[in-house]
């Protein structure tokens, strides 16, 4: 197989640029895609490989628009990708009964697939060390042979972040910082009833809070200690994620506290 990339970059003035890239890539099937034969304990499902799988071969065209000024940044990206021999897990019609119980069963298959998507992000620098950032993504994926939607494709999502930090705007090492994050994930409406064991779960919005600081240590100040406290799922929301195969059995994790210490040596 051969991989190649051809791209172009056009700058309009000092703040605007356009990028376009055409690339090809390939991926051979992994051992589990070829030879799985039974219970996958990590996801409580039966998986069956296919030793006749061929290498995936992809051709992708990506276009992006970038706008950067002193106070705000915007980046919009659109892409189209065709994947020959796309490898994916497809569910069987019903649960499979074994001596260990009944489990969802999946087969590794190949098809001609088409992906198209939009990614975008924008950041605005506000007074008093504040900044507001928004980013989102949408993906459309089709099984061209079956004329159907592909399973296990991420639904649309938008993340909004309000951040504060000391020091100059854009400083990579603020002494103190904090941010409030709101992640909204839509329900996946692009799915096939005969390719899943249950309908996709509803959409949800999660709030998270991050706060921390950094200190230079030692006389030479050649070491940096970073401390961060993060609270995920601040509202303790009960929800299920479409991409998590445990969604058939249980909710996602509730409110979660994480304290991290990071010591850097120069």
């Amino acid at each position: 197989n051969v991989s190649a990339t051809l791209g172009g970059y056009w700058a309009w003035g000092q703040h605007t640029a356009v990028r376009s890239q055409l690339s090809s890539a390939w991926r051979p099937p992994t051992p589990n895609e070829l030879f799985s034969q039974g219970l996958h304990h990590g996801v409580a499902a039966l998986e069956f490989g296919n030793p006749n799988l061929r290498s995936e071969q992809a051709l992708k065209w990506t276009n992006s628009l970038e706008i950067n000024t002193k106070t705000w940044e915007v980046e919009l990206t659109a892409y189209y990708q065709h994947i020959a021999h796309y490898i994916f897990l497809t569910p069987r019609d019903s649960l499979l009964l074994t001596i260990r119980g009944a489990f969802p069963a999946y087969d590794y298959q190949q098809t001609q697939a088409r992906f198209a998507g939009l990614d975008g992000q924008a950041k605005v620098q506000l007074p008093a060390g504040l900044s507001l950032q928004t980013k989102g993504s949408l993906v459309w994926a089709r099984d061209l042979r079956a004329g159907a939607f592909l399973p296990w494709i991420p639904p649309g999502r938008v993340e909004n972040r309000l951040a504060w930090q000391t020091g100059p705007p854009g400083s990579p090492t603020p002494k103190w910082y904090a941010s409030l994050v709101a992640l909204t994930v839509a329900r996946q409406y692009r799915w096939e009833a005969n390719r899943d064991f249950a309908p996709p779960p509803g959409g949800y919005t999660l709030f998270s809070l991050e706060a921390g600081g950094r200190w230079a240590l030692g006389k030479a100040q050649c070491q940096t200690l970073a401390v961060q406290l993060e609270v995920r799922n601040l509202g303790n929301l009960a929800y299920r994620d479409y991409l998590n195969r445990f969604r058939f059995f249980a909710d996602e994790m509730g409110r979660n506290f994480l304290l991290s210490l990071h010591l850097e040596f120069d």
Side-chain angles (χ1 to χ4, degrees), residues 2 4 7 29 61 80 101 124 130-131 146 153 171 194 220 239 253 261 263:
V2 176
W61 186 28
Y80 177 89
V124 179
L130 293 172
S131 64
I153 302 301
S171 173
N194 61 346
Y239 71 101
M253 186 179 295
L261 303 177
L263 183 60

Side-chain angles (χ1 to χ4, degrees), residues 43-54:
V43 294
L46 296 163
E47 293 185 0
F48 299 92
N50 182 352
N52 299 316
L53 294 178
R54 301 168 61 184

Side-chain angles (χ1 to χ4, degrees), residues 168-217:
S171 173
T173 56
K175 186 174 182 180
W176 297 100
Y177 62 90
S179 60
L180 177 64
V181 181
L183 172 65
T184 299
V185 179
R187 183 178 184 269
Q188 179 56 280
Y189 292 98
R190 298 177 291 278
W191 69 289
E192 304 292 339
N194 61 346
R195 285 193 169 186
D196 214 337
F197 293 102
Y204 56 88
T205 298
L206 299 179
F207 292 92
S208 301
L209 183 64
E210 303 171 4
R214 303 172 67 93
W215 297 269
L217 304 178

Side-chain angles (χ1 to χ4, degrees), residues 26-36 47-56 87-89 108 110:
W26 63 278
R27 183 185 74 87
T30 60
N32 63 298
E33 294 169 339
L34 292 168
F35 306 118
S36 291
E47 293 185 0
F48 299 92
N50 182 352
N52 299 316
L53 294 178
R54 301 168 61 184
S55 293
E56 292 181 337
I87 302 172
F88 68 105
L89 271 177
Y108 282 101
Q110 287 190 297

